[in-house]
């Protein structure tokens, strides 16, 4: 499988355009750092070029080590062949803490630049608080305008090619667009057949913001995940018709909607399977079946249950 088999999408970011492979490899995992490093190397071998991490995941360092080893082994000729996303954690969601945070991330990854830097959640947590999920006392007001200005500075300084957000509602995106000099290229949100977010998708597409779906398989086995996608009878039926897996049906459905995905598998066969979705299509009646799938949001509370307007009543 060569890298060219995963198509790219063009991210709009101010005057520049930057290409992002439509399938990214997720690294939010409780696995050991060595397992993450080995999984990333394997993923590069099977054709992944887009890797998704975050300062909170603890996977920046093993990802960076895997990239260095992939270069050494000649699996890639240059770092530019990769697309690397990381995210600003809530304890650094303050204008003066954004630059130190991206520098720390780059240091952990041992890279000179990111391809995409995202605000992880629209929430500010007092610096230095690690108890999780966050209590009401841990929260403080989120200065979106100030934080976004600092994100823009990250791009202007060349520390990241593009900037974006994660877990933003239409309402918060609207607010952000009202003052952004550089609009967000991406909004990374929970999206899969059991959480379809049609309104948010339509809004983002109208504004040229690319959605990246996290938990595209419902994150079975993860602390925040469920087996709802895995066990869904309609998806199983569709998968059987096409001779594919439930995972391939979910990822293909997202791809056909114009959504990019960050999918996690540290298993060689499954990571291969998850990118074998480009030489077949869903049928019209598959869409009708998927429209009937019962909806359930997994990450309703995010890192705290004390933010009443996290989704601005849009869900
Ligand atoms: P594993 O790493 O053992 O493959 P999501 O991407 O929605 O967060 O889901 C990630 C979870 O789904 C991981 O636990 C992963 O386990 C599992 N997974 C990934 N790909 C597949 C697949 N093709 N079939 C079944 N389970 C999968």
């Amino acid at each position: 499988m060569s890298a060219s088999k995963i198509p790219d999408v063009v991210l709009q970011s101010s005057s520049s355009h930057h290409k992002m492979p439509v399938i990214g490899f997720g690294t939010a995992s409780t696995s050991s750092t060595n397992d993450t490093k080995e999984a990333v190397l394997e993923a590069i071998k099977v054709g992944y070029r887009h890797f998704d991490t975050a300062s909170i995941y603890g996977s920046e360092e093993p990802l960076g080590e895997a990239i260095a080893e992939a270069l050494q082994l000649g699996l890639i000729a240059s770092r530019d062949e990769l697309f690397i996303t990381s995210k600003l954690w809530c304890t650094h969601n303050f204008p003066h803490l954004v630059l130190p945070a991206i520098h720390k991330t780059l240091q952990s990854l041992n890279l000179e630049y990111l391809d995409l830097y995202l605000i992880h959640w629209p929430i500010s947590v007092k610096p230095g608080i690690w108890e999780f999920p966050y209590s009401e006392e841990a929260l403080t007001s989120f200065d979106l305008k100030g934080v976004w200005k600092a994100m823009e500075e990250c791009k202007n300084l060349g520390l990241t090619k593009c900037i974006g957000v994660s877990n933003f509602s239409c309402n918060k995106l609207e607010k952000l667009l009202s003052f952004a000099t550089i609009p967000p290229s991406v909004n990374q949100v929970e999206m899969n057949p059991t959480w379809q977010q049609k309104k948010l998708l339509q809004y983002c597409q109208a504004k040229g913001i690319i959605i990246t779906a996290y938990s595209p398989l419902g994150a079975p086995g993860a602390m925040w995940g469920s087996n709802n996608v895995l066990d869904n009878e309609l998806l199983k039926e569709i998968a059987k018709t096409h001779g594919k897996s439930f995972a391939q049906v979910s990822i293909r459905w997202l791809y056909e909607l114009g959504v990019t995905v960050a999918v996690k598998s540290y298993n060689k066969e499954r990571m291969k399977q998850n990118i074998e979705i480009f030489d077949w299509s869903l049928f019209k009646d598959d869409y009708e079946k998927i429209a009937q799938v019962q909806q359930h949001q997994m990450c309703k509370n995010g890192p705290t249950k004390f933010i009443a307007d996290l989704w601005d009543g849009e869900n």
Side-chain angles (χ1 to χ4, degrees), residues 140-170:
T140 182
S141 63
F142 174 41
D143 172 8
L144 174 60
K145 196 171 181 177
V147 169
W148 191 251
K149 208 169 170 6
M151 293 290 285
E152 291 178 337
E153 200 183 344
C154 292
K155 176 173 157 56
N156 291 334
L157 289 170
L159 301 172
T160 185
K161 302 277 183 201
C162 298
I163 50 178
V165 295
S166 184
N167 298 300
F168 268 48
S169 64
C170 299

PDB file of all heavy atoms in Angstrom, residues 140-170:
ATOM      1  N   THR A 140     -12.182  28.282  34.655  1.00  0.00           N
ATOM      2  CA  THR A 140     -12.125  29.739  34.646  1.00  0.00           C
ATOM      3  C   THR A 140     -12.561  30.200  33.249  1.00  0.00           C
ATOM      4  O   THR A 140     -12.709  29.380  32.345  1.00  0.00           O
ATOM      5  CB  THR A 140     -10.713  30.231  35.053  1.00  0.00           C
ATOM      6  OG1 THR A 140     -10.706  31.638  35.079  1.00  0.00           O
ATOM      7  CG2 THR A 140      -9.630  29.749  34.115  1.00  0.00           C
ATOM      8  N   SER A 141     -12.791  31.520  33.080  1.00  0.00           N
ATOM      9  CA  SER A 141     -13.389  31.937  31.802  1.00  0.00           C
ATOM     10  C   SER A 141     -12.407  31.770  30.641  1.00  0.00           C
ATOM     11  O   SER A 141     -11.196  31.926  30.799  1.00  0.00           O
ATOM     12  CB  SER A 141     -13.895  33.372  31.897  1.00  0.00           C
ATOM     13  OG  SER A 141     -12.800  34.205  32.138  1.00  0.00           O
ATOM     14  N   PHE A 142     -12.969  31.433  29.499  1.00  0.00           N
ATOM     15  CA  PHE A 142     -12.186  31.136  28.295  1.00  0.00           C
ATOM     16  C   PHE A 142     -12.172  32.366  27.393  1.00  0.00           C
ATOM     17  O   PHE A 142     -13.214  32.788  26.889  1.00  0.00           O
ATOM     18  CB  PHE A 142     -12.816  29.922  27.592  1.00  0.00           C
ATOM     19  CG  PHE A 142     -12.208  29.582  26.262  1.00  0.00           C
ATOM     20  CD1 PHE A 142     -10.828  29.630  26.058  1.00  0.00           C
ATOM     21  CD2 PHE A 142     -13.017  29.182  25.200  1.00  0.00           C
ATOM     22  CE1 PHE A 142     -10.270  29.302  24.820  1.00  0.00           C
ATOM     23  CE2 PHE A 142     -12.472  28.845  23.968  1.00  0.00           C
ATOM     24  CZ  PHE A 142     -11.100  28.912  23.785  1.00  0.00           C
ATOM     25  N   ASP A 143     -10.983  32.919  27.192  1.00  0.00           N
ATOM     26  CA  ASP A 143     -10.820  34.110  26.349  1.00  0.00           C
ATOM     27  C   ASP A 143     -10.544  33.650  24.910  1.00  0.00           C
ATOM     28  O   ASP A 143      -9.384  33.598  24.461  1.00  0.00           O
ATOM     29  CB  ASP A 143      -9.651  34.943  26.918  1.00  0.00           C
ATOM     30  CG  ASP A 143      -9.264  36.110  26.028  1.00  0.00           C
ATOM     31  OD1 ASP A 143      -9.982  36.385  25.037  1.00  0.00           O
ATOM     32  OD2 ASP A 143      -8.229  36.744  26.323  1.00  0.00           O
ATOM     33  N   LEU A 144     -11.606  33.307  24.208  1.00  0.00           N
ATOM     34  CA  LEU A 144     -11.451  32.751  22.857  1.00  0.00           C
ATOM     35  C   LEU A 144     -10.698  33.719  21.937  1.00  0.00           C
ATOM     36  O   LEU A 144      -9.812  33.318  21.184  1.00  0.00           O
ATOM     37  CB  LEU A 144     -12.832  32.401  22.267  1.00  0.00           C
ATOM     38  CG  LEU A 144     -12.833  31.936  20.812  1.00  0.00           C
ATOM     39  CD1 LEU A 144     -11.988  30.680  20.601  1.00  0.00           C
ATOM     40  CD2 LEU A 144     -14.264  31.655  20.313  1.00  0.00           C
ATOM     41  N   LYS A 145     -11.060  35.010  22.037  1.00  0.00           N
ATOM     42  CA  LYS A 145     -10.435  35.992  21.137  1.00  0.00           C
ATOM     43  C   LYS A 145      -8.918  36.066  21.371  1.00  0.00           C
ATOM     44  O   LYS A 145      -8.117  36.016  20.432  1.00  0.00           O
ATOM     45  CB  LYS A 145     -11.085  37.364  21.370  1.00  0.00           C
ATOM     46  CG  LYS A 145     -10.806  38.336  20.269  1.00  0.00           C
ATOM     47  CD  LYS A 145     -11.650  39.592  20.437  1.00  0.00           C
ATOM     48  CE  LYS A 145     -11.370  40.556  19.313  1.00  0.00           C
ATOM     49  NZ  LYS A 145     -12.218  41.745  19.388  1.00  0.00           N
ATOM     50  N   GLY A 146      -8.533  36.129  22.640  1.00  0.00           N
ATOM     51  CA  GLY A 146      -7.109  36.226  22.979  1.00  0.00           C
ATOM     52  C   GLY A 146      -6.348  34.956  22.619  1.00  0.00           C
ATOM     53  O   GLY A 146      -5.223  35.007  22.098  1.00  0.00           O
ATOM     54  N   VAL A 147      -6.983  33.807  22.886  1.00  0.00           N
ATOM     55  CA  VAL A 147      -6.322  32.528  22.584  1.00  0.00           C
ATOM     56  C   VAL A 147      -6.169  32.376  21.066  1.00  0.00           C
ATOM     57  O   VAL A 147      -5.119  31.958  20.567  1.00  0.00           O
ATOM     58  CB  VAL A 147      -7.095  31.340  23.210  1.00  0.00           C
ATOM     59  CG1 VAL A 147      -6.590  29.998  22.686  1.00  0.00           C
ATOM     60  CG2 VAL A 147      -6.973  31.375  24.734  1.00  0.00           C
ATOM     61  N   TRP A 148      -7.214  32.773  20.327  1.00  0.00           N
ATOM     62  CA  TRP A 148      -7.129  32.622  18.865  1.00  0.00           C
ATOM     63  C   TRP A 148      -6.033  33.525  18.272  1.00  0.00           C
ATOM     64  O   TRP A 148      -5.305  33.131  17.357  1.00  0.00           O
ATOM     65  CB  TRP A 148      -8.480  32.886  18.191  1.00  0.00           C
ATOM     66  CG  TRP A 148      -8.420  32.457  16.753  1.00  0.00           C
ATOM     67  CD1 TRP A 148      -8.399  33.252  15.648  1.00  0.00           C
ATOM     68  CD2 TRP A 148      -8.312  31.102  16.266  1.00  0.00           C
ATOM     69  NE1 TRP A 148      -8.281  32.492  14.507  1.00  0.00           N
ATOM     70  CE2 TRP A 148      -8.234  31.171  14.866  1.00  0.00           C
ATOM     71  CE3 TRP A 148      -8.269  29.854  16.886  1.00  0.00           C
ATOM     72  CZ2 TRP A 148      -8.109  30.031  14.063  1.00  0.00           C
ATOM     73  CZ3 TRP A 148      -8.140  28.718  16.089  1.00  0.00           C
ATOM     74  CH2 TRP A 148      -8.071  28.812  14.698  1.00  0.00           C
ATOM     75  N   LYS A 149      -5.900  34.715  18.820  1.00  0.00           N
ATOM     76  CA  LYS A 149      -4.835  35.626  18.366  1.00  0.00           C
ATOM     77  C   LYS A 149      -3.468  34.950  18.557  1.00  0.00           C
ATOM     78  O   LYS A 149      -2.595  35.014  17.686  1.00  0.00           O
ATOM     79  CB  LYS A 149      -4.906  36.925  19.190  1.00  0.00           C
ATOM     80  CG  LYS A 149      -4.391  38.138  18.481  1.00  0.00           C
ATOM     81  CD  LYS A 149      -4.777  39.370  19.309  1.00  0.00           C
ATOM     82  CE  LYS A 149      -4.163  40.659  18.907  1.00  0.00           C
ATOM     83  NZ  LYS A 149      -3.367  40.793  17.767  1.00  0.00           N
ATOM     84  N   ALA A 150      -3.310  34.270  19.688  1.00  0.00           N
ATOM     85  CA  ALA A 150      -2.041  33.575  19.947  1.00  0.00           C
ATOM     86  C   ALA A 150      -1.884  32.371  19.007  1.00  0.00           C
ATOM     87  O   ALA A 150      -0.761  32.062  18.573  1.00  0.00           O
ATOM     88  CB  ALA A 150      -1.986  33.131  21.410  1.00  0.00           C
ATOM     89  N   MET A 151      -2.989  31.717  18.678  1.00  0.00           N
ATOM     90  CA  MET A 151      -2.932  30.610  17.695  1.00  0.00           C
ATOM     91  C   MET A 151      -2.492  31.172  16.338  1.00  0.00           C
ATOM     92  O   MET A 151      -1.669  30.569  15.639  1.00  0.00           O
ATOM     93  CB  MET A 151      -4.315  29.952  17.554  1.00  0.00           C
ATOM     94  CG  MET A 151      -4.812  29.206  18.774  1.00  0.00           C
ATOM     95  SD  MET A 151      -3.901  27.678  19.131  1.00  0.00           S
ATOM     96  CE  MET A 151      -4.535  26.572  17.861  1.00  0.00           C
ATOM     97  N   GLU A 152      -3.042  32.337  15.979  1.00  0.00           N
ATOM     98  CA  GLU A 152      -2.647  32.976  14.706  1.00  0.00           C
ATOM     99  C   GLU A 152      -1.156  33.293  14.710  1.00  0.00           C
ATOM    100  O   GLU A 152      -0.461  33.144  13.702  1.00  0.00           O
ATOM    101  CB  GLU A 152      -3.482  34.241  14.479  1.00  0.00           C
ATOM    102  CG  GLU A 152      -4.933  33.911  14.187  1.00  0.00           C
ATOM    103  CD  GLU A 152      -5.844  35.131  13.990  1.00  0.00           C
ATOM    104  OE1 GLU A 152      -5.500  36.231  14.481  1.00  0.00           O
ATOM    105  OE2 GLU A 152      -6.894  34.978  13.357  1.00  0.00           O
ATOM    106  N   GLU A 153      -0.666  33.699  15.876  1.00  0.00           N
ATOM    107  CA  GLU A 153       0.761  34.001  15.975  1.00  0.00           C
ATOM    108  C   GLU A 153       1.598  32.726  15.729  1.00  0.00           C
ATOM    109  O   GLU A 153       2.651  32.786  15.082  1.00  0.00           O
ATOM    110  CB  GLU A 153       1.073  34.601  17.353  1.00  0.00           C
ATOM    111  CG  GLU A 153       2.380  35.359  17.345  1.00  0.00           C
ATOM    112  CD  GLU A 153       2.750  35.910  18.718  1.00  0.00           C
ATOM    113  OE1 GLU A 153       1.871  35.963  19.599  1.00  0.00           O
ATOM    114  OE2 GLU A 153       3.929  36.269  18.876  1.00  0.00           O
ATOM    115  N   CYS A 154       1.119  31.602  16.236  1.00  0.00           N
ATOM    116  CA  CYS A 154       1.824  30.320  16.003  1.00  0.00           C
ATOM    117  C   CYS A 154       1.987  30.083  14.505  1.00  0.00           C
ATOM    118  O   CYS A 154       3.036  29.649  14.039  1.00  0.00           O
ATOM    119  CB  CYS A 154       1.043  29.144  16.596  1.00  0.00           C
ATOM    120  SG  CYS A 154       0.974  29.146  18.391  1.00  0.00           S
ATOM    121  N   LYS A 155       0.922  30.361  13.762  1.00  0.00           N
ATOM    122  CA  LYS A 155       0.998  30.159  12.309  1.00  0.00           C
ATOM    123  C   LYS A 155       1.920  31.210  11.677  1.00  0.00           C
ATOM    124  O   LYS A 155       2.781  30.883  10.859  1.00  0.00           O
ATOM    125  CB  LYS A 155      -0.403  30.218  11.690  1.00  0.00           C
ATOM    126  CG  LYS A 155      -0.350  30.105  10.164  1.00  0.00           C
ATOM    127  CD  LYS A 155      -1.693  29.987   9.521  1.00  0.00           C
ATOM    128  CE  LYS A 155      -1.700  30.423   8.063  1.00  0.00           C
ATOM    129  NZ  LYS A 155      -0.757  29.747   7.184  1.00  0.00           N
ATOM    130  N   ASN A 156       1.751  32.452  12.090  1.00  0.00           N
ATOM    131  CA  ASN A 156       2.571  33.511  11.494  1.00  0.00           C
ATOM    132  C   ASN A 156       4.060  33.309  11.764  1.00  0.00           C
ATOM    133  O   ASN A 156       4.902  33.704  10.965  1.00  0.00           O
ATOM    134  CB  ASN A 156       2.112  34.885  11.998  1.00  0.00           C
ATOM    135  CG  ASN A 156       0.726  35.235  11.447  1.00  0.00           C
ATOM    136  OD1 ASN A 156       0.336  34.738  10.386  1.00  0.00           O
ATOM    137  ND2 ASN A 156      -0.025  36.065  12.167  1.00  0.00           N
ATOM    138  N   LEU A 157       4.377  32.670  12.888  1.00  0.00           N
ATOM    139  CA  LEU A 157       5.791  32.409  13.223  1.00  0.00           C
ATOM    140  C   LEU A 157       6.321  31.147  12.531  1.00  0.00           C
ATOM    141  O   LEU A 157       7.492  30.794  12.687  1.00  0.00           O
ATOM    142  CB  LEU A 157       5.948  32.244  14.748  1.00  0.00           C
ATOM    143  CG  LEU A 157       5.776  33.516  15.584  1.00  0.00           C
ATOM    144  CD1 LEU A 157       5.712  33.179  17.079  1.00  0.00           C
ATOM    145  CD2 LEU A 157       6.931  34.489  15.318  1.00  0.00           C
ATOM    146  N   GLY A 158       5.444  30.449  11.817  1.00  0.00           N
ATOM    147  CA  GLY A 158       5.878  29.230  11.109  1.00  0.00           C
ATOM    148  C   GLY A 158       5.957  28.003  12.013  1.00  0.00           C
ATOM    149  O   GLY A 158       6.516  26.979  11.619  1.00  0.00           O
ATOM    150  N   LEU A 159       5.367  28.089  13.210  1.00  0.00           N
ATOM    151  CA  LEU A 159       5.415  26.941  14.124  1.00  0.00           C
ATOM    152  C   LEU A 159       4.379  25.890  13.729  1.00  0.00           C
ATOM    153  O   LEU A 159       4.475  24.732  14.117  1.00  0.00           O
ATOM    154  CB  LEU A 159       5.175  27.409  15.562  1.00  0.00           C
ATOM    155  CG  LEU A 159       6.196  28.448  16.067  1.00  0.00           C
ATOM    156  CD1 LEU A 159       5.777  29.007  17.421  1.00  0.00           C
ATOM    157  CD2 LEU A 159       7.592  27.830  16.139  1.00  0.00           C
ATOM    158  N   THR A 160       3.373  26.304  12.983  1.00  0.00           N
ATOM    159  CA  THR A 160       2.371  25.388  12.437  1.00  0.00           C
ATOM    160  C   THR A 160       1.899  25.928  11.097  1.00  0.00           C
ATOM    161  O   THR A 160       1.832  27.143  10.907  1.00  0.00           O
ATOM    162  CB  THR A 160       1.189  25.195  13.419  1.00  0.00           C
ATOM    163  OG1 THR A 160       0.300  24.214  12.888  1.00  0.00           O
ATOM    164  CG2 THR A 160       0.411  26.470  13.685  1.00  0.00           C
ATOM    165  N   LYS A 161       1.581  25.013  10.187  1.00  0.00           N
ATOM    166  CA  LYS A 161       1.121  25.447   8.847  1.00  0.00           C
ATOM    167  C   LYS A 161      -0.321  25.931   8.910  1.00  0.00           C
ATOM    168  O   LYS A 161      -0.704  26.831   8.188  1.00  0.00           O
ATOM    169  CB  LYS A 161       1.202  24.287   7.848  1.00  0.00           C
ATOM    170  CG  LYS A 161       2.576  23.694   7.695  1.00  0.00           C
ATOM    171  CD  LYS A 161       3.413  24.498   6.731  1.00  0.00           C
ATOM    172  CE  LYS A 161       4.771  23.855   6.524  1.00  0.00           C
ATOM    173  NZ  LYS A 161       5.766  24.778   6.023  1.00  0.00           N
ATOM    174  N   CYS A 162      -1.128  25.257   9.741  1.00  0.00           N
ATOM    175  CA  CYS A 162      -2.558  25.603   9.835  1.00  0.00           C
ATOM    176  C   CYS A 162      -2.989  25.569  11.298  1.00  0.00           C
ATOM    177  O   CYS A 162      -2.347  24.918  12.126  1.00  0.00           O
ATOM    178  CB  CYS A 162      -3.413  24.577   9.082  1.00  0.00           C
ATOM    179  SG  CYS A 162      -3.078  24.498   7.331  1.00  0.00           S
ATOM    180  N   ILE A 163      -4.079  26.262  11.563  1.00  0.00           N
ATOM    181  CA  ILE A 163      -4.643  26.253  12.921  1.00  0.00           C
ATOM    182  C   ILE A 163      -6.131  25.902  12.840  1.00  0.00           C
ATOM    183  O   ILE A 163      -6.768  26.113  11.805  1.00  0.00           O
ATOM    184  CB  ILE A 163      -4.440  27.613  13.643  1.00  0.00           C
ATOM    185  CG1 ILE A 163      -4.900  28.794  12.769  1.00  0.00           C
ATOM    186  CG2 ILE A 163      -3.005  27.774  14.083  1.00  0.00           C
ATOM    187  CD1 ILE A 163      -4.780  30.160  13.447  1.00  0.00           C
ATOM    188  N   GLY A 164      -6.640  25.388  13.944  1.00  0.00           N
ATOM    189  CA  GLY A 164      -8.046  25.006  13.956  1.00  0.00           C
ATOM    190  C   GLY A 164      -8.519  24.768  15.372  1.00  0.00           C
ATOM    191  O   GLY A 164      -7.850  25.147  16.344  1.00  0.00           O
ATOM    192  N   VAL A 165      -9.669  24.125  15.461  1.00  0.00           N
ATOM    193  CA  VAL A 165     -10.305  23.912  16.760  1.00  0.00           C
ATOM    194  C   VAL A 165     -10.811  22.479  16.855  1.00  0.00           C
ATOM    195  O   VAL A 165     -10.820  21.742  15.862  1.00  0.00           O
ATOM    196  CB  VAL A 165     -11.483  24.901  16.965  1.00  0.00           C
ATOM    197  CG1 VAL A 165     -10.983  26.332  17.022  1.00  0.00           C
ATOM    198  CG2 VAL A 165     -12.546  24.741  15.880  1.00  0.00           C
ATOM    199  N   SER A 166     -11.247  22.120  18.031  1.00  0.00           N
ATOM    200  CA  SER A 166     -11.833  20.799  18.248  1.00  0.00           C
ATOM    201  C   SER A 166     -12.987  20.966  19.224  1.00  0.00           C
ATOM    202  O   SER A 166     -12.910  21.808  20.131  1.00  0.00           O
ATOM    203  CB  SER A 166     -10.754  19.866  18.818  1.00  0.00           C
ATOM    204  OG  SER A 166     -11.250  18.561  18.967  1.00  0.00           O
ATOM    205  N   ASN A 167     -14.033  20.210  19.026  1.00  0.00           N
ATOM    206  CA  ASN A 167     -15.192  20.247  19.938  1.00  0.00           C
ATOM    207  C   ASN A 167     -15.856  21.617  19.968  1.00  0.00           C
ATOM    208  O   ASN A 167     -16.291  22.074  21.026  1.00  0.00           O
ATOM    209  CB  ASN A 167     -14.753  19.828  21.349  1.00  0.00           C
ATOM    210  CG  ASN A 167     -14.227  18.413  21.377  1.00  0.00           C
ATOM    211  OD1 ASN A 167     -14.937  17.482  21.034  1.00  0.00           O
ATOM    212  ND2 ASN A 167     -12.964  18.245  21.736  1.00  0.00           N
ATOM    213  N   PHE A 168     -15.939  22.270  18.811  1.00  0.00           N
ATOM    214  CA  PHE A 168     -16.619  23.570  18.724  1.00  0.00           C
ATOM    215  C   PHE A 168     -18.000  23.389  18.092  1.00  0.00           C
ATOM    216  O   PHE A 168     -18.150  22.729  17.070  1.00  0.00           O
ATOM    217  CB  PHE A 168     -15.794  24.549  17.869  1.00  0.00           C
ATOM    218  CG  PHE A 168     -14.822  25.398  18.662  1.00  0.00           C
ATOM    219  CD1 PHE A 168     -13.977  24.824  19.616  1.00  0.00           C
ATOM    220  CD2 PHE A 168     -14.740  26.776  18.455  1.00  0.00           C
ATOM    221  CE1 PHE A 168     -13.077  25.594  20.346  1.00  0.00           C
ATOM    222  CE2 PHE A 168     -13.846  27.560  19.183  1.00  0.00           C
ATOM    223  CZ  PHE A 168     -13.013  26.973  20.131  1.00  0.00           C
ATOM    224  N   SER A 169     -19.003  24.008  18.711  1.00  0.00           N
ATOM    225  CA  SER A 169     -20.368  24.045  18.166  1.00  0.00           C
ATOM    226  C   SER A 169     -20.416  25.086  17.040  1.00  0.00           C
ATOM    227  O   SER A 169     -19.492  25.898  16.893  1.00  0.00           O
ATOM    228  CB  SER A 169     -21.332  24.462  19.278  1.00  0.00           C
ATOM    229  OG  SER A 169     -20.991  25.796  19.679  1.00  0.00           O
ATOM    230  N   CYS A 170     -21.548  25.114  16.296  1.00  0.00           N
ATOM    231  CA  CYS A 170     -21.742  26.149  15.260  1.00  0.00           C
ATOM    232  C   CYS A 170     -21.666  27.520  15.911  1.00  0.00           C
ATOM    233  O   CYS A 170     -21.060  28.456  15.361  1.00  0.00           O
ATOM    234  CB  CYS A 170     -23.117  26.026  14.606  1.00  0.00           C
ATOM    235  SG  CYS A 170     -23.416  24.477  13.778  1.00  0.00           S
TER     236      CYS A 170
END
